[in-house]
Amino acid sequence: MRVIAVLNQKGGVGKTTTTINLGASLAKSGRKVLIIDLDPQANATSGLGLDKAIINNSTYTLLSGKSSFNTSVVETGIDNLFILPAVPSLAAAEQELVGVLSRETVLKNAINQAKFDYILIDCPPSLGLLSINALVTADSVIIPVQTEFYALEGLGLLMQTIQRIQSGLNPDLKLLGVVMTMVDSRNALSSQVIAEVKKHFNEYVFNSVIPRNVRLAEAPSFGKTVFEHDKWSKGARAYKSLAKEVMNRG
Ligand SMILES: Nc1ncnc2c1ncn2[C@@H]1O[C@H](COP(=O)(O)OP(=O)(O)OP(=O)(O)O)[C@@H](O)[C@H]1O
Ligand SMILES: [Mg+2]
Protein backbone atom coordinates (compact mmCIF):
# COMPACT_ATOMS: atom_id res chain seq x y z
CA MET A 1 0.00 0.00 0.00
CA ARG A 2 1.30 3.44 -0.92
CA VAL A 3 0.03 6.53 0.86
CA ILE A 4 0.60 9.81 -0.98
CA ALA A 5 -0.12 13.27 0.44
CA VAL A 6 -0.92 15.90 -2.20
CA LEU A 7 0.25 19.08 -0.54
CA ASN A 8 1.13 22.69 -1.17
CA GLN A 9 0.04 25.29 1.37
CA LYS A 10 -0.56 27.73 -1.47
CA GLY A 11 -4.22 27.82 -2.50
CA GLY A 12 -5.57 26.96 -5.92
CA VAL A 13 -2.48 25.27 -7.35
CA GLY A 14 -4.25 22.08 -8.47
CA LYS A 15 -4.07 19.80 -5.40
CA THR A 16 -7.67 18.64 -5.62
CA THR A 17 -7.69 18.35 -9.41
CA THR A 18 -4.53 16.24 -9.15
CA THR A 19 -5.85 14.06 -6.33
CA ILE A 20 -9.12 13.28 -8.11
CA ASN A 21 -7.72 12.65 -11.58
CA LEU A 22 -4.55 10.86 -10.53
CA GLY A 23 -6.71 8.70 -8.27
CA ALA A 24 -9.17 8.01 -11.07
CA SER A 25 -6.39 7.10 -13.46
CA LEU A 26 -4.79 4.69 -10.98
CA ALA A 27 -8.21 3.14 -10.41
CA LYS A 28 -8.72 2.77 -14.16
CA SER A 29 -5.48 0.81 -14.35
CA GLY A 30 -6.92 -1.67 -11.87
CA ARG A 31 -5.49 -0.35 -8.61
CA LYS A 32 -7.76 -0.11 -5.60
CA VAL A 33 -7.64 3.56 -4.65
CA LEU A 34 -8.88 5.58 -1.68
CA ILE A 35 -9.04 9.36 -1.74
CA ILE A 36 -9.01 10.96 1.69
CA ASP A 37 -10.51 14.43 1.65
CA LEU A 38 -8.67 16.26 4.40
CA ASP A 39 -9.78 19.74 3.36
CA PRO A 40 -12.79 21.42 5.05
CA GLN A 41 -13.61 22.98 1.67
CA ALA A 42 -14.54 19.40 0.67
CA ASN A 43 -13.76 20.03 -3.00
CA ALA A 44 -12.64 16.46 -3.67
CA THR A 45 -15.88 15.23 -2.11
CA SER A 46 -18.17 17.42 -4.21
CA GLY A 47 -15.91 17.05 -7.26
CA LEU A 48 -16.56 13.31 -7.16
CA GLY A 49 -20.28 13.95 -7.11
CA LEU A 50 -20.99 13.32 -3.43
CA ASP A 51 -23.67 15.46 -1.86
CA LYS A 52 -22.21 17.07 1.27
CA ALA A 53 -25.71 17.43 2.71
CA ILE A 54 -26.26 13.67 2.99
CA ILE A 55 -22.85 12.61 4.25
CA ASN A 56 -22.97 10.95 7.65
CA ASN A 57 -19.46 9.78 8.30
CA SER A 58 -16.50 11.78 7.11
CA THR A 59 -12.91 12.63 7.89
CA TYR A 60 -14.39 14.86 10.59
CA THR A 61 -16.18 12.04 12.42
CA LEU A 62 -13.21 9.71 11.86
CA LEU A 63 -10.66 12.13 13.35
CA SER A 64 -12.92 12.92 16.28
CA GLY A 65 -13.40 9.24 17.05
CA LYS A 66 -17.12 9.27 16.23
CA SER A 67 -16.91 6.85 13.29
CA SER A 68 -14.70 3.92 12.36
CA PHE A 69 -12.57 3.74 9.24
CA ASN A 70 -14.72 1.06 7.57
CA THR A 71 -17.99 2.94 8.12
CA SER A 72 -16.49 6.21 6.86
CA VAL A 73 -15.30 5.06 3.43
CA VAL A 74 -17.86 5.33 0.62
CA GLU A 75 -18.00 4.26 -3.02
CA THR A 76 -17.66 6.90 -5.72
CA GLY A 77 -19.54 5.04 -8.43
CA ILE A 78 -16.25 4.55 -10.30
CA ASP A 79 -14.77 1.04 -10.19
CA ASN A 80 -11.92 0.71 -7.66
CA LEU A 81 -12.25 4.32 -6.50
CA PHE A 82 -13.36 5.06 -2.93
CA ILE A 83 -13.48 8.22 -0.87
CA LEU A 84 -13.38 9.21 2.75
CA PRO A 85 -15.38 12.41 2.30
CA ALA A 86 -14.98 15.74 4.06
CA VAL A 87 -17.57 18.12 5.44
CA PRO A 88 -17.07 21.79 6.35
CA SER A 89 -17.08 20.99 10.08
CA LEU A 90 -13.70 19.35 9.53
CA ALA A 91 -12.40 22.87 10.18
CA ALA A 92 -13.51 22.36 13.79
CA ALA A 93 -11.53 19.12 14.03
CA GLU A 94 -8.36 21.08 13.49
CA GLN A 95 -9.18 23.12 16.60
CA GLU A 96 -10.36 20.12 18.61
CA LEU A 97 -7.22 18.14 17.82
CA VAL A 98 -5.01 20.79 19.39
CA GLY A 99 -5.92 19.51 22.83
CA VAL A 100 -5.49 15.83 21.97
CA LEU A 101 -2.47 13.82 23.03
CA SER A 102 -0.55 12.57 19.96
CA ARG A 103 -2.59 14.94 17.85
CA GLU A 104 -0.23 14.53 14.88
CA THR A 105 -0.86 10.78 14.57
CA VAL A 106 -4.66 10.68 14.80
CA LEU A 107 -5.17 10.06 11.06
CA LYS A 108 -2.41 7.47 10.88
CA ASN A 109 -3.93 5.54 13.76
CA ALA A 110 -7.45 5.90 12.39
CA ILE A 111 -6.65 4.32 9.02
CA ASN A 112 -4.48 1.45 10.19
CA GLN A 113 -6.99 -1.14 8.95
CA ALA A 114 -7.00 0.28 5.42
CA LYS A 115 -6.32 -2.14 2.58
CA PHE A 116 -5.83 -0.27 -0.68
CA ASP A 117 -3.14 -0.17 -3.35
CA TYR A 118 -3.05 3.62 -3.19
CA ILE A 119 -4.31 6.18 -0.73
CA LEU A 120 -4.20 9.79 -1.92
CA ILE A 121 -4.71 12.51 0.66
CA ASP A 122 -6.07 15.85 -0.59
CA CYS A 123 -4.68 18.43 1.84
CA PRO A 124 -6.03 21.89 2.68
CA PRO A 125 -4.04 24.97 1.63
CA SER A 126 -2.21 25.30 4.95
CA LEU A 127 0.52 23.65 6.99
CA GLY A 128 -1.72 23.25 10.02
CA LEU A 129 -2.53 20.14 12.00
CA LEU A 130 -4.57 18.51 9.21
CA SER A 131 -1.67 18.70 6.76
CA ILE A 132 0.76 17.55 9.46
CA ASN A 133 -1.49 14.51 10.02
CA ALA A 134 -1.29 13.82 6.28
CA LEU A 135 2.52 14.01 6.32
CA VAL A 136 2.72 11.67 9.30
CA THR A 137 0.38 9.17 7.62
CA ALA A 138 1.91 9.30 4.13
CA ASP A 139 4.98 7.53 2.80
CA SER A 140 5.45 10.16 0.11
CA VAL A 141 4.39 13.61 -1.00
CA ILE A 142 3.39 15.03 -4.38
CA ILE A 143 3.66 18.81 -4.61
CA PRO A 144 1.58 20.42 -7.34
CA VAL A 145 3.14 23.69 -8.45
CA GLN A 146 1.18 26.12 -10.55
CA THR A 147 3.14 27.51 -13.46
CA GLU A 148 3.06 31.19 -12.55
CA PHE A 149 5.51 33.89 -11.55
CA TYR A 150 5.26 33.21 -7.81
CA ALA A 151 5.48 29.43 -8.21
CA LEU A 152 8.48 28.96 -5.91
CA GLU A 153 7.12 31.14 -3.15
CA GLY A 154 6.35 29.05 -0.07
CA LEU A 155 8.15 25.94 -1.30
CA GLY A 156 11.06 26.58 1.08
CA LEU A 157 8.74 26.51 4.06
CA LEU A 158 6.99 23.44 2.68
CA MET A 159 10.30 21.56 2.29
CA GLN A 160 11.34 22.60 5.84
CA THR A 161 8.06 21.22 7.15
CA ILE A 162 8.59 17.94 5.30
CA GLN A 163 12.14 17.72 6.73
CA ARG A 164 10.86 18.39 10.23
CA ILE A 165 8.42 15.47 9.91
CA GLN A 166 11.19 13.27 8.44
CA SER A 167 13.48 13.92 11.37
CA GLY A 168 10.73 13.28 13.88
CA LEU A 169 7.40 11.60 13.47
CA ASN A 170 7.85 9.97 10.05
CA PRO A 171 11.45 9.13 9.05
CA ASP A 172 10.18 7.13 6.03
CA LEU A 173 8.52 10.13 4.37
CA LYS A 174 9.84 10.88 0.87
CA LEU A 175 9.25 13.51 -1.76
CA LEU A 176 7.71 11.56 -4.62
CA GLY A 177 7.73 14.47 -7.01
CA VAL A 178 6.72 17.94 -8.08
CA VAL A 179 4.02 18.20 -10.73
CA MET A 180 3.73 21.36 -12.80
CA THR A 181 0.08 22.33 -13.24
CA MET A 182 -1.89 24.71 -15.46
CA VAL A 183 0.97 24.84 -17.95
CA ASP A 184 0.36 27.06 -20.96
CA SER A 185 2.74 25.95 -23.67
CA ARG A 186 2.18 29.12 -25.72
CA ASN A 187 3.34 31.25 -22.84
CA ALA A 188 7.10 31.84 -22.50
CA LEU A 189 6.68 32.34 -18.75
CA SER A 190 5.56 28.72 -18.40
CA SER A 191 8.83 27.30 -19.70
CA GLN A 192 10.83 29.80 -17.60
CA VAL A 193 8.98 28.76 -14.47
CA ILE A 194 9.42 25.06 -15.25
CA ALA A 195 13.17 25.63 -15.77
CA GLU A 196 13.37 27.50 -12.47
CA VAL A 197 11.53 24.76 -10.55
CA LYS A 198 13.79 22.12 -12.17
CA LYS A 199 16.86 24.03 -10.94
CA HIS A 200 15.66 23.44 -7.39
CA PHE A 201 14.00 20.03 -7.64
CA ASN A 202 15.95 18.40 -10.52
CA GLU A 203 14.78 14.88 -11.27
CA TYR A 204 11.97 15.22 -8.73
CA VAL A 205 9.96 17.20 -11.29
CA PHE A 206 7.64 14.78 -13.07
CA ASN A 207 8.09 14.60 -16.84
CA SER A 208 4.33 14.71 -17.20
CA VAL A 209 3.12 18.29 -17.04
CA ILE A 210 -0.54 19.18 -16.62
CA PRO A 211 -1.72 21.70 -19.21
CA ARG A 212 -4.23 24.40 -18.52
CA ASN A 213 -7.29 22.64 -19.87
CA VAL A 214 -10.90 23.72 -19.58
CA ARG A 215 -12.10 20.08 -19.38
CA LEU A 216 -10.22 19.70 -16.09
CA ALA A 217 -11.91 22.79 -14.69
CA GLU A 218 -15.39 21.80 -15.89
CA ALA A 219 -15.41 18.18 -14.77
CA PRO A 220 -15.99 18.74 -11.00
CA SER A 221 -19.07 20.86 -11.67
CA PHE A 222 -20.64 17.69 -13.10
CA GLY A 223 -19.31 15.60 -10.21
CA LYS A 224 -17.10 13.78 -12.68
CA THR A 225 -13.44 13.01 -13.13
CA VAL A 226 -11.90 14.23 -16.37
CA PHE A 227 -11.97 10.65 -17.70
CA GLU A 228 -15.75 10.48 -17.58
CA HIS A 229 -16.13 14.09 -18.72
CA ASP A 230 -13.79 13.92 -21.74
CA LYS A 231 -11.33 11.07 -21.75
CA TRP A 232 -9.62 12.28 -24.93
CA SER A 233 -8.91 15.76 -23.57
CA LYS A 234 -5.34 16.95 -23.05
CA GLY A 235 -6.02 17.06 -19.33
CA ALA A 236 -7.10 13.43 -19.22
CA ARG A 237 -4.05 12.32 -21.19
CA ALA A 238 -1.75 14.31 -18.91
CA TYR A 239 -3.14 12.71 -15.75
CA LYS A 240 -2.91 9.26 -17.35
CA SER A 241 0.74 9.92 -18.06
CA LEU A 242 1.31 11.19 -14.51
CA ALA A 243 -0.29 8.03 -13.11
CA LYS A 244 2.19 5.91 -15.10
CA GLU A 245 5.09 7.87 -13.68
CA VAL A 246 3.72 7.56 -10.15
CA MET A 247 3.40 3.77 -10.56
CA ASN A 248 6.96 3.58 -11.92
CA ARG A 249 8.42 5.73 -9.15
CA GLY A 250 7.10 3.26 -6.57
N1 LIG B 1 -4.89 22.04 -15.33
C1 LIG B 1 -5.92 22.86 -15.10
N2 LIG B 1 -6.49 23.54 -16.13
C2 LIG B 1 -7.51 24.39 -15.90
N3 LIG B 1 -8.04 24.63 -14.70
C3 LIG B 1 -7.51 23.99 -13.65
C4 LIG B 1 -6.44 23.06 -13.79
N4 LIG B 1 -6.12 22.57 -12.56
C5 LIG B 1 -6.96 23.15 -11.71
N5 LIG B 1 -7.80 24.00 -12.34
C6 LIG B 1 -8.84 24.86 -11.73
O1 LIG B 1 -8.18 25.77 -10.88
C7 LIG B 1 -8.88 25.90 -9.64
C8 LIG B 1 -7.98 25.44 -8.49
O2 LIG B 1 -7.71 24.05 -8.66
P1 LIG B 1 -7.79 23.05 -7.43
O3 LIG B 1 -9.08 23.19 -6.72
O4 LIG B 1 -7.42 21.72 -7.93
O5 LIG B 1 -6.61 23.64 -6.55
P2 LIG B 1 -6.32 23.34 -5.01
O6 LIG B 1 -4.85 23.48 -4.84
O7 LIG B 1 -6.93 22.07 -4.59
O8 LIG B 1 -7.08 24.56 -4.31
P3 LIG B 1 -7.28 24.76 -2.72
O9 LIG B 1 -5.95 25.21 -2.21
O10 LIG B 1 -8.35 25.79 -2.60
O11 LIG B 1 -7.66 23.43 -2.16
C9 LIG B 1 -10.13 25.07 -9.78
O12 LIG B 1 -11.17 25.89 -10.23
C10 LIG B 1 -9.76 24.06 -10.86
O13 LIG B 1 -10.89 23.59 -11.57
MG1 LIG C 1 -8.20 21.70 -2.97
Side-chain angles (χ1 to χ4, degrees), residues 6 12-23 35 37 39 41-48 122-125 144 220 239:
V6 181
V13 297
K15 294 179 288 294
T16 302
T17 306
T18 297
T19 306
I20 289 179
N21 294 303
L22 174 60
I35 288 174
D37 192 347
D39 183 355
Q41 296 179 97
N43 293 147
T45 301
S46 53
L48 281 166
D122 187 23
C123 294
Y239 276 110

Side-chain angles (χ1 to χ4, degrees), residues 3-5 121 133-141 170 172-174:
V3 184
I4 303 171
I121 308 175
N133 265 273
L135 291 175
V136 170
T137 306
D139 46 62
S140 65
V141 188
N170 188 2
D172 297 331
L173 184 65
K174 289 178 188 66

Side-chain angles (χ1 to χ4, degrees), residues 50-57:
L50 273 80
D51 184 353
K52 281 179 242 179
I54 58 162
I55 292 169
N56 292 316
N57 295 342

